[in-house]
Amino acid sequence: MGYKTLCFGLFLILFAYYSYIPMPENIEERWKIQFLDAGMKMLSFMAKMFENLGLIKYEDVLSIFMRVLLTKPVSDENITVIDTDFSDIPVRLYLPKWKSERQRPAVIYIHGGAFTLGSCKIRSYDYLNRWTANKLDAVVVGLDYRLAPQYPFPTAFEDCVLVIKFFLQDTILEKYGVDPTRICISGDSSGGSLATAATQLLQNNPEYKDKIKAQALIYPALQFIDTLMPSHREYEHGPFLSREIGIKLAHLYVTEDIALHQAMQRNEHMPQGSRHLFKFVNWSDFLPEKYKKNHVYNEPTLGKLNVFYPALMDSRLSPLLASDSQLQSLPLTYILTCEHDVLRDEGLIYITRLRNVGVQVAHDHIEEGIHGVMSLIAMPYNLQLGLKVGEKYISWLEKNL
Ligand SMILES: *[C@@H]1O[C@H](CO)[C@@H](O)[C@H](O)[C@H]1NC(C)=O
Ligand SMILES: *[C@@H]1O[C@H](CO)[C@@H](O)[C@H](O)[C@H]1NC(C)=O
């Protein structure tokens, strides 16, 4: 009894503490978001506690919670849903049932989760991909790339590329009735990073050039170089994704060594000899004035880590590192950014860099938007803000794919 009361008391105190984090004034369902945000931070706190006690790893606690949200492939009156694999990578296909005179467009969707969590089978992604298939009369492919830390860089990237290459084969496109001139690669958050890097690779490969009509990136994560951009500072505590949780999870894609996590927190993780890369991610050069506010650009400190991780200098990890000539040939691009997002500036910088070299970019900026809301659109959250973001994305696809 005493133990339970103590736990309950602790729960209330933590909840009150985490509910105190400031939330944007201008959003609908403010209380619901506040509640979800507090829940997320408590879960993270618990996971950290269990990890410190040596019971279970931080990311494993979070992934147990996610497992509850997985769905079976359930077909409905309009869409046949099938779990299968492409090149040995699990995929979930959404195939419209009605007869079509024309070949269909296709979307390959790469889910988010900081390279360590998530699945295309999670309720909200299942909802989004089904919705896309319905609204666009499109074939949609959700894919489950392997996750860190069990499968470190570049496994996730390579899995995504394998699936895309498999799907782009003439025989496969024909099998699913897909129009080879109307294919889009999409992704959110770390999935946006994977979509970006995969599109860069394929578009610069003569064999695949121009096979991708468009890329759609939802609040993408695009670099590991500088962890103190203005949005990293302003939205350090979230909502939803805090700078600390983001770094704690994402660094696992490079290594499980906590020293990298600590160095990234201090923005001191880049190796000697990497200074020439800063010009690709220098927010002072690429961020529109209104987002710079009174922030002062500080160069990340070099050479503090004892171990050299080549991944940190690799554009497959940080797609913002691609050179202008690699960006030049990229297809039609849609980028959605959210104001209240620790990763906001990474998307904004990519927009500037793409437009500077003449790539056509459509941009939606959601003023009351929050990182990760599109993975909270389905039960049990039913977040209106997530639906709003989903609607923007899908209506862009409807007009442009
Ligand atoms: C099937 O499509 C119709 C017409 O677009 C729509 O009204 C209906 O809600 C769809 N059913 C499901 C289960 O999504
Ligand atoms: C970053 O951009 C600012 C403003 O253009 C410039 O003064 C600075 O030298 C740049 N730093 C690096 C490392 O590229």
Side-chain angles (χ1 to χ4, degrees):
M1 175 64 193
Y3 171 71
K4 274 189 194 154
T5 313
L6 188 71
C7 284
F8 188 64
L10 187 67
F11 174 87
L12 285 183
I13 290 167
L14 276 175
F15 200 79
Y17 172 70
Y18 285 129
S19 300
Y20 191 67
I21 305 283
M23 278 284 156
E25 291 290 340
N26 52 346
I27 50 171
E28 294 169 55
E29 306 173 290
R30 186 146 168 252
W31 292 108
K32 195 165 167 183
I33 292 181
Q34 194 123 26
F35 188 81
L36 284 169
D37 181 59
M40 168 78 181
K41 295 201 162 99
M42 275 173 57
L43 179 62
S44 170
F45 174 84
M46 257 171 41
K48 242 186 285 179
M49 206 164 66
F50 286 141
E51 183 171 71
N52 290 340
L53 290 171
L55 295 175
I56 178 171
K57 286 198 282 186
Y58 179 82
E59 61 277 13
D60 290 342
V61 178
L62 303 192
S63 87
I64 288 168
F65 270 81
M66 294 234 169
R67 226 171 286 154
V68 182
L69 301 171
L70 295 182
T71 54
K72 297 247 178 308
V74 180
S75 299
D76 62 33
E77 51 182 322
N78 303 326
I79 309 289
T80 305
V81 181
I82 306 169
D83 281 352
T84 176
D85 49 65
F86 285 175
S87 284
D88 293 328
I89 315 293
V91 296
R92 180 168 284 185
L93 305 179
Y94 298 82
L95 310 167
K97 279 184 176 165
W98 54 88
K99 287 256 173 308
S100 175
E101 298 295 301
R102 302 189 307 160
Q103 290 174 313
R104 300 191 149 97
V107 174
I108 299 175
Y109 195 91
I110 308 175
H111 72 80
F115 305 101
T116 46
L117 299 170
S119 160
C120 65
K121 294 169 186 160
I122 281 183
R123 215 174 280 268
S124 286
Y125 290 118
D126 185 68
Y127 180 97
L128 177 75
N129 288 339
R130 190 184 298 265
W131 181 13
T132 311
N134 238 320
K135 202 72 196 277
L136 270 72
D137 185 18
V139 170
V140 178
V141 182
L143 70 107
D144 272 352
Y145 53 88
R146 285 169 291 173
L147 299 173
Q150 191 181 358
Y151 298 100
F153 175 85
T155 306
F157 170 77
E158 285 177 346
D159 286 357
C160 293
V161 170
L162 273 178
V163 167
I164 298 168
K165 284 184 173 173
F166 181 94
F167 187 71
L168 289 177
Q169 295 174 93
D170 293 340
T171 50
I172 299 299
L173 296 178
E174 209 168 298
K175 176 173 170 186
Y176 295 110
V178 171
D179 181 344
T181 66
R182 297 174 68 202
I183 296 168
C184 177
I185 313 289
S186 302
D188 65 296
S189 194
S190 57
S193 172
L194 295 166
T196 304
T199 306
Q200 288 177 357
L201 178 91
L202 295 172
Q203 191 59 21
N204 287 295
N205 175 336
E207 198 183 329
Y208 293 94
K209 191 166 169 49
D210 298 329
K211 290 203 170 178
I212 296 166
K213 177 170 185 186
Q215 59 176 342
L217 315 171
I218 316 294
Y219 39 74
L222 293 172
Q223 58 93 31
F224 271 64
I225 317 292
D226 184 351
T227 68
L228 280 175
M229 292 176 173
S231 63
H232 300 145
R233 302 175 197 175
E234 285 173 36
Y235 300 112
E236 180 181 2
H237 299 295
F240 286 140
L241 181 68
S242 67
R243 180 171 174 271
E244 191 203 355
I245 296 177
I247 292 175
K248 188 162 174 56
L249 290 172
H251 94 279
L252 297 170
Y253 188 37
V254 178
T255 174
E256 288 196 73
D257 188 350
I258 185 90
L260 177 63
H261 174 206
Q262 289 161 346
M264 281 180 79
Q265 285 283 0
R266 295 189 303 265
N267 213 21
E268 294 181 344
H269 55 290
M270 290 302 286
Q272 272 322 339
S274 63
R275 187 168 182 271
H276 65 288
L277 299 176
F278 294 171
K279 64 175 182 287
F280 297 119
V281 298
N282 188 337
W283 60 262
S284 174
D285 285 334
F286 298 119
L287 213 51
E289 284 306 323
K290 78 180 258 213
Y291 297 105
K292 289 188 193 168
K293 296 193 184 152
N294 46 6
H295 293 287
V296 176
Y297 178 80
N298 292 318
E299 273 184 42
T301 310
L302 298 182
K304 291 276 188 172
L305 267 179
N306 293 327
V307 188
F308 171 66
Y309 298 106
L312 294 175
M313 297 175 70
D314 196 315
S315 66
R316 296 170 302 168
L317 184 75
S318 298
L320 270 179
L321 290 181
S323 67
D324 284 354
S325 65
Q326 285 168 311
L327 297 185
Q328 231 160 29
S329 58
L330 287 175
L332 181 61
T333 299
Y334 173 77
I335 297 182
L336 184 142
T337 51
C338 289
E339 177 53 38
H340 303 270
D341 178 2
V342 67
L343 301 179
R344 179 196 70 191
D345 295 348
E346 310 193 5
L348 293 174
I349 290 173
Y350 202 43
I351 293 167
T352 308
R353 289 210 50 214
L354 290 175
R355 285 182 175 159
N356 282 352
V357 296
V359 175
Q360 210 186 324
V361 184
H363 177 207
D364 277 325
H365 186 69
I366 315 291
E367 280 299 338
E368 73 281 24
I370 288 173
H371 191 83
V373 284
M374 226 167 54
S375 34
L376 300 166
I377 46 182
M379 285 274 284
Y381 319 105
N382 297 325
L383 215 56
Q384 288 301 315
L385 187 59
L387 287 175
K388 181 175 173 181
V389 168
E391 249 155 42
K392 292 260 185 204
Y393 157 68
I394 289 176
S395 71
W396 184 83
L397 286 176
E398 251 185 314
K399 291 189 202 100
N400 294 282
L401 187 59

